[in-house]
Amino acid sequence: MNTLSASWHWLTDPAHWSGDDGIRSRLLQHLVLTVVCLAVSCVIALPVALVLGHLGKGGALAVNISNVGRAVPTFAVLVLLLLTPVGKWGEGPTVVALVLFAVPPLLTNAYVGMREVDRSIVRAARGMGMTGRQMLLRVELPLALPLVMTGVRIAAVQLVATATIAALAGGGGLGRIITAGFNLASTPQVVAGAILVAGFALIVEAVFEIAERLAPHWPRGSR
Amino acid sequence: MTAPPHDCLARNDWICGAYLSTRRQILLDAVVQHLRLTALSVLIGLAIALPLAVLARRWGWAAGPVLALTTILYTIPSLAMFSLLLPLYGLSATLVVAGLVLYSLTLLVRNILAGLRAVPEETRQAARGLGYGPIRLLLTVELPLALPAAMAGLRIATVSAVSLVTVGAIVGFGGLGNLIYAGMNTYFKAQVLTASALCVLIAVAADLLLLGVQRLITPWTRAGRARAPARRRRSRTGLRGARAGRA
């Protein structure tokens, strides 16, 4: 309990919230990193997955990319990128590594979601004379939306987690508070940082959960 | 390597034969530590997950809280998890194992529970009709039928554990992660690349090994009706799999 109260003191000390390496700026860095990388990954992964799912091709690719992604340690990729020329552009390695790790769940879930749309509905849409594009946008995508959103949610939570590891390799974000705490041998600071990161991850998960509850029910109702 | 002795180390090349031959012992020690941490955490995770899943199956009301708790644990980033457990275990290998056990729980409980729930009701009734008691039913009918799903979870948990062990470098018990961390600070390219490649190799080897074990202990899944279960399994691992690739 001693450590916990010490961490609480650390967290509530206003001096730790301000400044360039204060909690406020680290939170902001973490948020910006997560949002930017999520946006980039969605732009890269979703169109590819939706078109592949629509055409029904590349399923093995979509699933295997996800399996490979799991086997490659984030930390190793970060350090490898850091030692390549990419490492010279500030947050470059972090952004590239984060995007690499967010793409597989997006790709897999969007693809699986598109494939799990009831084939008879798709055939009915075709029978009504819809073009491929109309079928993709008006029929398959709305029905696949719950799974696509699950992928986005997984990617977002994963980004929060990976952004933490980036601090080990010199990147910014909340993980920095933890690594700095380790270097100072200050357990209260380490635990305080961990509480912040865990809270951040849980809030992101909760935001998606709430958005899912509030979203229109028709896509789920029809499944 | 055709380069003169020590040259590729001096040039700091990515791929360096001299590194492999001079640091063989260090690499071997790191691999052994990596394997021990992974195996220990997955086995402990399995030992905790199995009773949890069985209890959640037996009493429906327990399933919600068990799944919610393990999911919340899974959401916490690994670096934060290790730090949160720090006051409990200090800077030790136990800390890394404890963190990894908590992660493998989510994957294992979910998959074992899914496997148990997928056992057809007629099968259970048939077994009861043959005079099977609840324990015999669990051990000889339900658990074997849940094996394919459980093994899928075990494979994901193992592969994730292999890659998460590297983060243990922050407390000095990260197996190959230690070499990556040290290599990062000294800008030692050969060490970082070799250790990273070994990590991936271990993950792939462990996955293949478990796949082999799965085939050996569930011969019935390959007999005759391989089509439908294969399709089901793929879509399931697709979703679960995506859930798992994390840091």
Side-chain angles (χ1 to χ4, degrees):
Chain A
M1 285 303 110
N2 227 348
T3 324
L4 273 186
S5 60
S7 307
W8 182 248
H9 280 300
W10 195 93
L11 265 179
T12 47
D13 184 347
H16 292 138
W17 282 81
S18 53
D20 274 350
D21 50 1
I23 297 172
R24 197 171 300 139
S25 71
R26 292 298 182 207
L27 261 174
L28 198 67
Q29 280 175 349
H30 213 95
L31 187 66
V32 169
L33 260 182
T34 311
V35 171
V36 167
C37 295
L38 188 63
V40 173
S41 324
C42 284
V43 167
I44 295 175
L46 292 185
V48 175
L50 295 180
V51 169
L52 283 181
H54 172 69
L55 298 174
K57 283 179 184 150
L61 183 78
V63 173
N64 283 328
I65 282 183
S66 175
N67 291 341
V68 171
R70 199 187 305 130
V72 181
T74 321
F75 178 48
V77 171
L78 258 170
V79 175
L80 282 173
L81 284 170
L82 197 69
L83 299 190
T84 59
V86 182
K88 297 202 174 66
W89 346 311
E91 295 283 335
T94 314
V95 174
V96 175
L98 290 179
V99 169
L100 278 179
F101 280 92
V103 163
L106 285 170
L107 208 60
T108 311
N109 274 278
Y111 181 84
V112 172
M114 290 294 279
R115 294 313 298 164
E116 289 200 345
V117 171
D118 194 340
R119 286 298 106 189
S120 53
I121 296 177
V122 177
R123 278 198 292 271
R126 174 165 310 176
M128 287 165 64
M130 280 194 175
T131 62
R133 190 194 180 85
Q134 284 173 325
M135 268 162 44
L136 171 66
L137 293 178
R138 295 199 198 158
V139 179
E140 290 174 306
L141 182 56
L143 289 174
L145 211 54
L147 268 182
V148 176
M149 285 315 291
T150 308
V152 175
R153 169 185 178 163
I154 294 165
V157 175
Q158 191 173 312
L159 280 172
V160 172
T162 318
T164 317
I165 296 183
L168 277 180
L174 285 172
R176 207 51 182 271
I177 295 173
I178 299 177
T179 45
F182 269 109
N183 292 336
L184 297 168
S186 156
T187 309
Q189 181 176 341
V190 170
V191 174
I195 292 171
L196 283 170
V197 176
F200 195 102
L202 291 176
I203 288 172
V204 169
E205 183 90 18
V207 165
F208 274 92
E209 182 79 40
I210 292 166
E212 215 164 273
R213 297 258 161 103
L214 293 181
H217 280 258
W218 50 267
R220 264 182 296 159
S222 63
R223 285 174 66 82
Chain B
M1 280 275 131
T2 48
H6 297 298
D7 207 24
C8 71
L9 279 176
R11 280 202 314 264
N12 198 12
D13 281 348
W14 284 104
I15 297 168
C16 180
Y19 172 75
L20 283 180
S21 52
T22 53
R23 316 287 166 105
R24 181 174 296 148
Q25 195 54 46
I26 298 175
L27 281 170
L28 204 64
D29 289 345
V31 168
V32 169
Q33 189 185 52
H34 210 106
L35 289 176
R36 281 185 56 188
L37 290 171
T38 308
L40 209 59
S41 40
V42 173
L43 287 177
I44 296 175
L46 194 59
I48 300 174
L50 195 59
L52 276 182
V54 169
L55 287 183
R57 174 79 185 101
R58 194 61 22 114
W59 297 305
W61 56 265
V66 165
L67 286 180
L69 185 69
T70 50
T71 307
I72 288 175
L73 287 174
Y74 196 74
T75 307
I76 300 172
S78 51
L79 191 59
M81 181 71 94
F82 290 151
S83 343
L84 282 173
L85 296 170
L86 184 67
L88 281 172
Y89 298 106
L91 294 175
S92 65
T94 322
L95 171 70
V96 178
V97 172
L100 292 175
V101 165
L102 291 179
Y103 281 130
S104 55
L105 273 185
T106 314
L107 299 166
L108 292 171
V109 169
R110 265 178 197 280
N111 276 275
I112 299 174
L113 190 59
L116 287 174
R117 279 178 172 164
V119 175
E121 187 54 39
E122 308 90 81
T123 312
R124 265 203 299 275
Q125 277 168 3
R128 276 195 214 103
L130 286 168
Y132 279 41
I135 294 185
R136 193 160 162 225
L137 176 70
L138 179 73
L139 292 180
T140 60
V141 177
E142 290 180 299
L143 282 181
L145 285 178
L147 263 179
M151 286 300 291
L154 189 64
R155 283 171 60 196
I156 298 171
T158 309
V159 171
S160 314
V162 171
S163 79
L164 278 178
V165 165
T166 54
V167 182
I170 184 89
V171 293
F173 293 91
L176 291 160
N178 287 353
L179 296 183
I180 298 175
Y181 201 39
M184 175 185 79
N185 291 329
T186 54
Y187 220 78
F188 193 170
K189 289 178 180 174
Q191 176 157 312
V192 172
L193 185 64
T194 312
S196 310
L198 280 173
C199 269
V200 177
L201 221 64
I202 291 177
V204 172
D207 198 38
L208 289 179
L209 183 76
L210 286 173
L211 181 67
V213 171
Q214 181 181 350
R215 294 220 163 165
L216 275 181
I217 60 178
T218 59
W220 63 88
T221 52
R222 273 170 300 151
R225 51 182 179 87
R227 261 189 114 93
R231 209 163 57 101
R232 246 199 358 249
R233 192 168 63 231
R234 198 173 74 179
S235 70
R236 184 166 55 222
T237 43
L239 302 179
R240 283 287 138 61
R243 187 87 182 84
R246 76 186 307 283

